[in-house]
Amino acid sequence: MLKGRHLIEPGNLSIEELDNLFSLAARIIDDPQRYSQVCRGKVLATLFFEPSTRTRLSFEAAMLRLGGSCLGFAEPNASSASKGESLADTIRTVSCYADLIAMRNPKEGAALLGTRYSEVPVINAGDGGHHHPTQTLTDLLTIKSIKGKISGLTIGLCGDLKFGRTVHSLAKAMARYPGNRFVMISPPELEIPDYIVSRVFKPSGVSYTQVRRLEEAIGDLDILYMTRVQKERFFNEQDYVRLKDSYILDSQKMKLASPDLCVLHPLPRVNEIAPEVDSDPRAAYFRQVTYGMYVRMALIMALLGCDTEFVEELGLRKQAAQTAEIPAGAPVSLRRKRGSK
Ligand code: NCD
């Protein structure tokens, strides 16, 4: 049961829970109408202390398509953070208004900190260069839908493997499935952090290699995961300018790839995929955007407990109302507060 849980990094979900989310997402894709009111009366808060297009709008679209409502802010200047309010106080406040919080923050560990102060589930929508678990759900559902499996694949991770949180989360998640192999393609300055190698790749026994040139690796890949060089995480502009165009996927390079290659990118892209690649049937990054919304619908339903059929849910509420001093219909922040400081 995912109801009431937080999602901070991919390891918070078991393989079985991931499978359940993917099959729920597939059922939603098959018949979206059936799910169009399941979160009626529920509120999602999106707290974005860092820019976003896809992740925030995808969360909001997901909630609206489930019949729920959204509130929040898209940049810290539009919140009391600009007056000096602590993250703890912002989260305490918002969890009085919302049933679920999706938050993005430039600081690593911010979402985990948020869980300490929240009365409702917190979803990490990106914490600095650390993790981005819902992008991973998106990536895994896309791979599963296109390749029919998430195991036994050769995955090329290309670009900024140092600061790219989507890469860290994807590597962590895919290393748990049997038979996956990683090819890391990056300049020396942007190699994957040591902790991913020592705490993820080595213990799980996955095979990984490192190359500098995309041309060397592309022919062996089932999945090519392109990423943007993360300008906002660089300490100096010159380094960014020097490294930003390290890899550019174009039609010439696509000729070296297998006809079954699947090209993914969490987006936004800057220069790393030439627009001419978009019309190649192997380019799956815009399909990936759609899968992202559906998997977030599944996740929202699961964390709010709307995935177990409503009849059951209503039954539970009735039972709770008979025993609780505070009515079951009271805001969750009040209901859970009882007995706590
Ligand atoms: C990514 C992110 O924010 O980490 N974008 C996204 O959520 N789809 C990738 C990026 O910004 O490069």
Short mmCIF file of all heavy atoms in Angstrom, two decimals, residues 96-130:
data_model
loop_
_atom_site.label_atom_id
_atom_site.label_comp_id
_atom_site.label_asym_id
_atom_site.label_seq_id
_atom_site.Cartn_x
_atom_site.Cartn_y
_atom_site.Cartn_z
N CYS A 96 -1.39 22.03 5.76
CA CYS A 96 -2.74 22.30 6.31
C CYS A 96 -3.76 22.52 5.19
O CYS A 96 -4.96 22.46 5.43
CB CYS A 96 -2.72 23.54 7.18
SG CYS A 96 -1.66 23.43 8.61
N TYR A 97 -3.28 22.84 3.99
CA TYR A 97 -4.20 23.15 2.88
C TYR A 97 -4.38 22.00 1.90
O TYR A 97 -5.37 21.94 1.19
CB TYR A 97 -3.66 24.32 2.04
CG TYR A 97 -3.33 25.59 2.78
CD1 TYR A 97 -2.24 26.38 2.40
CD2 TYR A 97 -4.12 26.03 3.84
CE1 TYR A 97 -1.94 27.56 3.06
CE2 TYR A 97 -3.82 27.22 4.51
CZ TYR A 97 -2.72 27.98 4.11
OH TYR A 97 -2.42 29.14 4.75
N ALA A 98 -3.35 21.14 1.80
CA ALA A 98 -3.33 20.17 0.70
C ALA A 98 -3.31 18.74 1.22
O ALA A 98 -2.97 18.49 2.38
CB ALA A 98 -2.09 20.43 -0.16
N ASP A 99 -3.67 17.82 0.35
CA ASP A 99 -3.64 16.39 0.70
C ASP A 99 -2.33 15.73 0.25
O ASP A 99 -2.04 14.59 0.62
CB ASP A 99 -4.80 15.67 0.01
CG ASP A 99 -6.13 16.25 0.45
OD1 ASP A 99 -6.49 16.07 1.62
OD2 ASP A 99 -6.79 16.95 -0.37
N LEU A 100 -1.59 16.45 -0.59
CA LEU A 100 -0.38 15.88 -1.19
C LEU A 100 0.50 17.04 -1.65
O LEU A 100 -0.02 18.04 -2.14
CB LEU A 100 -0.83 15.05 -2.41
CG LEU A 100 0.18 14.28 -3.22
CD1 LEU A 100 0.84 13.21 -2.35
CD2 LEU A 100 -0.52 13.59 -4.40
N ILE A 101 1.82 16.89 -1.47
CA ILE A 101 2.74 17.97 -1.87
C ILE A 101 3.76 17.42 -2.86
O ILE A 101 4.38 16.38 -2.59
CB ILE A 101 3.50 18.54 -0.64
CG1 ILE A 101 2.51 19.24 0.31
CG2 ILE A 101 4.61 19.50 -1.07
CD1 ILE A 101 3.14 19.73 1.62
N ALA A 102 3.92 18.10 -4.00
CA ALA A 102 5.04 17.79 -4.89
C ALA A 102 5.97 18.99 -4.83
O ALA A 102 5.53 20.12 -5.08
CB ALA A 102 4.55 17.58 -6.32
N MET A 103 7.21 18.76 -4.46
CA MET A 103 8.11 19.92 -4.30
C MET A 103 9.45 19.75 -5.02
O MET A 103 9.99 18.66 -5.12
CB MET A 103 8.35 20.22 -2.83
CG MET A 103 9.03 19.12 -2.05
SD MET A 103 9.51 19.68 -0.39
CE MET A 103 11.02 20.58 -0.72
N ARG A 104 9.92 20.86 -5.55
CA ARG A 104 11.25 20.90 -6.19
C ARG A 104 12.05 21.99 -5.52
O ARG A 104 11.53 23.09 -5.28
CB ARG A 104 11.10 21.19 -7.68
CG ARG A 104 12.42 21.51 -8.34
CD ARG A 104 12.31 21.64 -9.82
NE ARG A 104 12.09 20.35 -10.45
CZ ARG A 104 12.09 20.16 -11.77
NH1 ARG A 104 12.30 21.18 -12.59
NH2 ARG A 104 11.89 18.97 -12.28
N ASN A 105 13.31 21.68 -5.23
CA ASN A 105 14.15 22.65 -4.52
C ASN A 105 15.60 22.48 -5.00
O ASN A 105 16.02 21.35 -5.27
CB ASN A 105 14.05 22.36 -3.00
CG ASN A 105 14.61 23.49 -2.16
OD1 ASN A 105 15.81 23.65 -2.05
ND2 ASN A 105 13.72 24.28 -1.57
N PRO A 106 16.35 23.58 -5.10
CA PRO A 106 17.74 23.43 -5.58
C PRO A 106 18.66 22.73 -4.59
O PRO A 106 19.77 22.33 -4.96
CB PRO A 106 18.19 24.88 -5.80
CG PRO A 106 17.25 25.73 -5.03
CD PRO A 106 15.96 24.98 -4.92
N LYS A 107 18.24 22.56 -3.36
CA LYS A 107 19.14 21.94 -2.35
C LYS A 107 18.92 20.44 -2.25
O LYS A 107 17.79 19.98 -2.05
CB LYS A 107 18.90 22.56 -0.98
CG LYS A 107 19.30 24.01 -0.92
CD LYS A 107 19.72 24.40 0.50
CE LYS A 107 20.17 25.84 0.53
NZ LYS A 107 19.17 26.75 1.07
N GLU A 108 20.00 19.69 -2.32
CA GLU A 108 19.95 18.25 -2.13
C GLU A 108 19.43 17.95 -0.72
O GLU A 108 19.89 18.56 0.24
CB GLU A 108 21.35 17.62 -2.28
CG GLU A 108 21.86 17.54 -3.71
CD GLU A 108 22.46 18.84 -4.24
OE1 GLU A 108 22.60 19.81 -3.46
OE2 GLU A 108 22.77 18.89 -5.44
N GLY A 109 18.49 17.06 -0.64
CA GLY A 109 17.96 16.68 0.67
C GLY A 109 16.75 17.50 1.11
O GLY A 109 16.14 17.22 2.14
N ALA A 110 16.37 18.52 0.32
CA ALA A 110 15.26 19.40 0.74
C ALA A 110 13.95 18.63 0.88
O ALA A 110 13.20 18.84 1.84
CB ALA A 110 15.10 20.55 -0.25
N ALA A 111 13.67 17.73 -0.05
CA ALA A 111 12.40 17.00 0.01
C ALA A 111 12.36 16.09 1.23
O ALA A 111 11.33 15.97 1.91
CB ALA A 111 12.18 16.20 -1.27
N LEU A 112 13.50 15.48 1.51
CA LEU A 112 13.57 14.60 2.69
C LEU A 112 13.31 15.43 3.95
O LEU A 112 12.56 15.03 4.84
CB LEU A 112 14.95 13.94 2.76
CG LEU A 112 15.15 12.95 3.90
CD1 LEU A 112 14.17 11.79 3.80
CD2 LEU A 112 16.59 12.42 3.89
N LEU A 113 13.89 16.62 4.00
CA LEU A 113 13.65 17.53 5.13
C LEU A 113 12.16 17.86 5.20
O LEU A 113 11.56 17.85 6.28
CB LEU A 113 14.48 18.80 4.94
CG LEU A 113 14.41 19.78 6.10
CD1 LEU A 113 15.24 19.27 7.27
CD2 LEU A 113 14.91 21.16 5.68
N GLY A 114 11.56 18.09 4.03
CA GLY A 114 10.13 18.41 3.97
C GLY A 114 9.27 17.33 4.63
O GLY A 114 8.28 17.63 5.29
N THR A 115 9.67 16.08 4.49
CA THR A 115 8.86 14.98 5.07
C THR A 115 8.77 15.09 6.59
O THR A 115 7.83 14.64 7.19
CB THR A 115 9.44 13.58 4.71
OG1 THR A 115 10.74 13.45 5.30
CG2 THR A 115 9.53 13.36 3.22
N ARG A 116 9.78 15.70 7.20
CA ARG A 116 9.77 15.82 8.67
C ARG A 116 8.69 16.79 9.16
O ARG A 116 8.30 16.76 10.31
CB ARG A 116 11.11 16.37 9.17
CG ARG A 116 12.23 15.45 8.92
CD ARG A 116 13.23 15.57 10.07
NE ARG A 116 14.49 15.05 9.61
CZ ARG A 116 15.65 15.64 9.77
NH1 ARG A 116 15.73 16.78 10.41
NH2 ARG A 116 16.74 15.09 9.30
N TYR A 117 8.30 17.71 8.28
CA TYR A 117 7.36 18.75 8.73
C TYR A 117 6.00 18.63 8.09
O TYR A 117 5.11 19.40 8.39
CB TYR A 117 7.97 20.14 8.43
CG TYR A 117 9.27 20.32 9.15
CD1 TYR A 117 10.49 20.11 8.49
CD2 TYR A 117 9.29 20.63 10.50
CE1 TYR A 117 11.69 20.22 9.17
CE2 TYR A 117 10.49 20.75 11.19
CZ TYR A 117 11.69 20.54 10.51
OH TYR A 117 12.86 20.65 11.19
N SER A 118 5.85 17.66 7.19
CA SER A 118 4.59 17.57 6.45
C SER A 118 3.63 16.59 7.12
O SER A 118 4.04 15.52 7.59
CB SER A 118 4.88 17.12 5.02
OG SER A 118 3.66 17.00 4.33
N GLU A 119 2.37 16.95 7.10
CA GLU A 119 1.32 16.06 7.60
C GLU A 119 0.79 15.19 6.47
O GLU A 119 -0.06 14.34 6.68
CB GLU A 119 0.16 16.89 8.16
CG GLU A 119 0.53 17.82 9.30
CD GLU A 119 0.89 17.07 10.57
OE1 GLU A 119 0.46 15.91 10.72
OE2 GLU A 119 1.61 17.64 11.41
N VAL A 120 1.22 15.49 5.25
CA VAL A 120 0.69 14.76 4.09
C VAL A 120 1.87 14.22 3.27
O VAL A 120 3.00 14.67 3.45
CB VAL A 120 -0.20 15.70 3.21
CG1 VAL A 120 -1.39 16.22 4.00
CG2 VAL A 120 0.60 16.85 2.62
N PRO A 121 1.63 13.27 2.36
CA PRO A 121 2.75 12.73 1.58
C PRO A 121 3.48 13.81 0.77
O PRO A 121 2.86 14.72 0.24
CB PRO A 121 2.07 11.73 0.63
CG PRO A 121 0.78 11.38 1.28
CD PRO A 121 0.35 12.60 2.04
N VAL A 122 4.80 13.67 0.74
CA VAL A 122 5.64 14.59 -0.04
C VAL A 122 6.26 13.81 -1.20
O VAL A 122 6.80 12.71 -1.00
CB VAL A 122 6.78 15.17 0.84
CG1 VAL A 122 7.77 15.98 0.00
CG2 VAL A 122 6.21 16.02 1.97
N ILE A 123 6.17 14.37 -2.38
CA ILE A 123 6.83 13.78 -3.55
C ILE A 123 7.99 14.69 -3.92
O ILE A 123 7.82 15.91 -4.08
CB ILE A 123 5.88 13.69 -4.76
CG1 ILE A 123 4.61 12.90 -4.39
CG2 ILE A 123 6.58 13.06 -5.96
CD1 ILE A 123 3.54 12.94 -5.48
N ASN A 124 9.17 14.10 -4.06
CA ASN A 124 10.34 14.87 -4.48
C ASN A 124 10.27 15.07 -6.00
O ASN A 124 10.40 14.12 -6.76
CB ASN A 124 11.61 14.09 -4.11
CG ASN A 124 12.87 14.80 -4.49
OD1 ASN A 124 12.83 15.97 -4.89
ND2 ASN A 124 14.00 14.10 -4.38
N ALA A 125 10.10 16.32 -6.41
CA ALA A 125 10.04 16.60 -7.85
C ALA A 125 11.40 17.14 -8.31
O ALA A 125 11.48 17.86 -9.31
CB ALA A 125 8.93 17.61 -8.12
N GLY A 126 12.46 16.77 -7.59
CA GLY A 126 13.82 17.17 -7.94
C GLY A 126 14.44 17.92 -6.78
O GLY A 126 13.92 18.96 -6.36
N ASP A 127 15.54 17.38 -6.21
CA ASP A 127 16.28 18.10 -5.16
C ASP A 127 17.72 18.27 -5.61
O ASP A 127 18.52 17.35 -5.58
CB ASP A 127 16.17 17.39 -3.79
CG ASP A 127 16.75 15.98 -3.75
OD1 ASP A 127 16.67 15.28 -4.78
OD2 ASP A 127 17.29 15.59 -2.69
N GLY A 128 18.02 19.47 -6.09
CA GLY A 128 19.36 19.79 -6.59
C GLY A 128 19.83 18.75 -7.58
O GLY A 128 19.07 18.28 -8.43
N GLY A 129 21.11 18.36 -7.46
CA GLY A 129 21.67 17.37 -8.36
C GLY A 129 21.50 15.95 -7.83
O GLY A 129 22.24 15.05 -8.24
N HIS A 130 20.54 15.74 -6.96
CA HIS A 130 20.44 14.47 -6.24
C HIS A 130 19.49 13.50 -6.94
O HIS A 130 19.93 12.65 -7.71
CB HIS A 130 20.01 14.80 -4.80
CG HIS A 130 20.11 13.67 -3.85
ND1 HIS A 130 19.18 13.47 -2.87
CD2 HIS A 130 21.02 12.68 -3.72
CE1 HIS A 130 19.52 12.41 -2.16
NE2 HIS A 130 20.63 11.92 -2.65
#
